[in-house]
Amino acid sequence: MAQLSPILKQATPVVVDHGEGAYLYDTSGRRHLDFTAGIGVTSTGHCHPKVVQAAQEQVGKLIHGQYTTVMHRPLLELSERLGEVLPSGLDSLFFANSGSEAVEAALRLARQATGRPNVVVFQGGFHGRTVAAASMTTSGTRFGAGISPLMAGVHVAPFPHAYHYGWDEKTATDFALRELDYLFATQTAPQETAAFFVEPMLGEGGYVPANSEFMAGLRRRADEHGILLVMDEIQTGFGRTGKFWGHEHFDVHPDVVLIAKGLASGFPLSGIAASRDLMGKAWPGSQGGTYGGNAVACAAALATLEVIREENLVDNAAARGRQLLDGARAVGDKTPGIGDVRGMGLLVGSEFVTADGAPDNATAQAVQKKAAEKGLLLLTCGAYMNVVRMIPPLVVTSEQIDEALDIWGEVVASVAR
Ligand code: PMP
């Protein structure tokens, strides 16, 4: 009998039978409060009836209309609808399946459109696991270990991770921008730099929000040197941060936005958005793929957008996010072993540290495991995997946040210092 490869490492032992809203039900019938949402994917909750209905109807009409062969209605409609929510001027879309593919698509676009070879990424950023995306990932050596040589042409500048540096936000931001200028002087000349790839908040890198001054600094340098500002909204998009896009918190206008995860409520669908002018600079026909823009995934994405609007999920993410952050901070305040609690909207991380302030991976893992035993599913992140993160669906209720915080408080008190 064949088995799943140990290449896959699972965070919990749960074998799911079905999901509904914020809950997963395992094969023994036990209910779990899912504050992982499939790593920030099932924003409308598991199996939202409208998403299910849209997908079921589409399955009966057309499952796969290969998009370099024929065009289909869900893809055309989705492009139109996304135009209503994307930043102004980003009116041209290309679709793929995974976040990593969107990152690679943007890399191709940036290199072809500018004719420049290099990109700058920011320390702690995560952009995916395919080799180019892994080459641009610095949230942990584990993502690139053992697969070298990685892609050349990637340069890494600091992210304003104030807690990590032990500085205030302003000092960390000044440092990050100064080092970026130094990088231009020492590693990749601006005229050889095609793009900045940045997340509005480090996701896998430990749930660290950027800030307006940092983003303004990137925008200024991008404008000055003709560098593209590529915003990786794969984890932060579609209302997750309490605004539709994570970068809206920082009042910055990107040249390219990367989308995936929350876009289609669990169907594999990703994309990149840019201006028609910029997309027109890529080589025509240079991108494609067998499955990109799958008809069922697009129908699910259309339903997802409708649900986000009808149920005011962006506002709910903001309100429930505040409740979650406040509650997690209250637990953090009375726990010396939690050094920092931070986040935006429904992305909240608690960083575990030892008495001397070093990353405490063991306690974070123990807390995550114990929470799962008590019916609360969580994930860890950060370079040292010492940040426990909460990513409930956007449909989460106030009662479910309280339920999670009760378990969290109890588990932290029993496991951490
Ligand atoms: N970018 C960001 C910001 C992500 O969070 C992720 C996935 N966690 C990716 C890219 C890669 O997406 P995928 O796993 O779908 O390839």
Side-chain angles (χ1 to χ4, degrees):
M1 205 173 76
Q3 286 184 335
L4 273 174
S5 163
I7 286 173
L8 270 184
K9 190 164 165 276
Q10 226 174 289
T12 76
V14 175
V15 180
V16 177
D17 178 72
H18 65 281
E20 193 184 328
Y23 294 104
L24 286 172
Y25 296 82
D26 69 23
T27 45
S28 69
R30 184 167 179 219
R31 192 176 84 165
H32 305 261
L33 185 53
D34 182 12
F35 270 39
T36 72
I39 323 189
V41 170
T42 54
S43 294
T44 54
H46 291 290
C47 301
H48 190 288
K50 289 212 162 152
V51 176
V52 170
Q53 191 191 346
Q56 281 175 339
E57 282 174 9
Q58 186 56 44
V59 165
K61 282 192 198 157
L62 176 77
I63 296 172
H64 178 55
Q66 204 285 324
Y67 70 170
T68 59
T69 312
V70 294
M71 199 32 67
H72 55 79
R73 215 158 56 194
L75 185 59
L76 295 172
E77 270 178 40
L78 179 61
S79 306
E80 262 180 54
R81 284 284 293 111
L82 283 171
E84 294 163 19
V85 292
L86 280 161
S88 64
L90 274 58
D91 53 359
S92 184
L93 285 141
F94 168 74
F95 291 94
N97 309 285
S98 67
S100 301
E101 282 177 282
V103 168
E104 301 229 359
L107 174 72
R108 283 186 174 82
L109 169 66
R111 282 178 164 170
Q112 289 184 349
T114 62
R116 302 174 182 182
N118 297 337
V119 294
V120 172
V121 299
F122 296 88
Q123 179 77 343
F126 182 89
H127 299 291
R129 289 178 180 271
T130 54
V131 172
S135 308
M136 296 160 67
T137 289
T138 53
S139 60
T141 43
R142 60 191 176 278
F143 300 109
I147 62 165
S148 288
L150 294 170
M151 180 185 74
V154 180
H155 297 271
V156 187
F159 189 88
H161 190 339
Y163 180 76
H164 168 72
Y165 291 119
W167 297 333
D168 59 41
E169 191 83 20
K170 167 105 180 64
T171 309
T173 302
D174 289 350
F175 168 76
L177 292 173
R178 203 168 56 239
E179 286 299 304
L180 177 57
D181 290 334
Y182 192 51
L183 192 119
F184 281 150
T186 55
Q187 294 186 38
T188 173
Q191 63 272 22
E192 284 203 300
T193 306
F196 298 137
F197 279 72
V198 67
E199 293 166 271
M201 177 182 112
L202 295 183
E204 303 305 306
Y207 279 24
V208 187
N211 62 63
S212 300
E213 197 192 330
F214 176 64
M215 286 296 182
L218 298 189
R219 183 69 269 174
R220 227 176 8 255
R221 285 158 180 81
D223 288 342
E224 190 181 337
H225 302 299
I227 296 167
L228 299 172
L229 180 56
V230 180
M231 199 62 66
D232 185 340
E233 290 272 7
I234 287 166
Q235 191 158 165
T236 47
F238 296 93
R240 167 102 354 233
T241 66
K243 291 190 188 281
F244 200 93
W245 302 110
H247 71 264
E248 283 178 71
H249 289 272
F250 310 126
D251 198 23
V252 61
H253 194 274
D255 299 304
V256 183
V257 166
L258 311 185
I259 56 177
K261 290 195 188 266
L263 163 63
S265 294
F267 285 87
L269 184 64
S270 69
I272 66 172
S275 69
R276 258 170 255 196
D277 180 47
L278 179 58
M279 286 278 195
K281 290 184 180 147
W283 303 353
S286 60
Q287 306 225 23
T290 302
Y291 295 108
N294 172 267
V296 183
C298 287
L302 281 164
T304 299
L305 286 171
E306 235 175 87
V307 170
I308 290 175
R309 187 172 46 83
E310 280 171 9
E311 300 187 13
N312 290 321
L313 293 187
V314 183
D315 291 345
N316 194 56
R320 300 287 69 80
R322 258 191 311 276
Q323 182 190 354
L324 184 60
L325 188 62
D326 287 350
R329 284 210 165 126
V331 173
D333 284 347
K334 54 184 185 205
T335 312
I338 294 180
D340 195 26
V341 180
R342 53 186 181 245
M344 296 200 296
L346 289 170
L347 292 156
V348 172
S350 298
E351 175 150 4
F352 286 82
V353 291
T354 61
D356 51 10
D360 184 358
N361 164 286
T363 303
Q365 301 301 321
V367 166
Q368 187 265 351
K369 188 162 179 281
K370 187 81 180 244
E373 284 164 20
K374 298 219 173 256
L376 173 64
L377 305 184
L378 301 170
L379 293 171
T380 53
C381 62
Y384 304 100
M385 301 293 275
N386 65 321
V387 179
V388 180
R389 54 174 156 165
M390 300 178 171
I391 338 164
L394 272 50
V395 293
V396 72
T397 63
S398 172
E399 293 72 30
Q400 287 163 342
I401 297 275
D402 283 340
E403 185 185 343
L405 286 170
D406 283 349
I407 300 176
W408 177 248
E410 197 185 314
V411 167
V412 168
S414 73
V415 177
R417 286 182 297 121

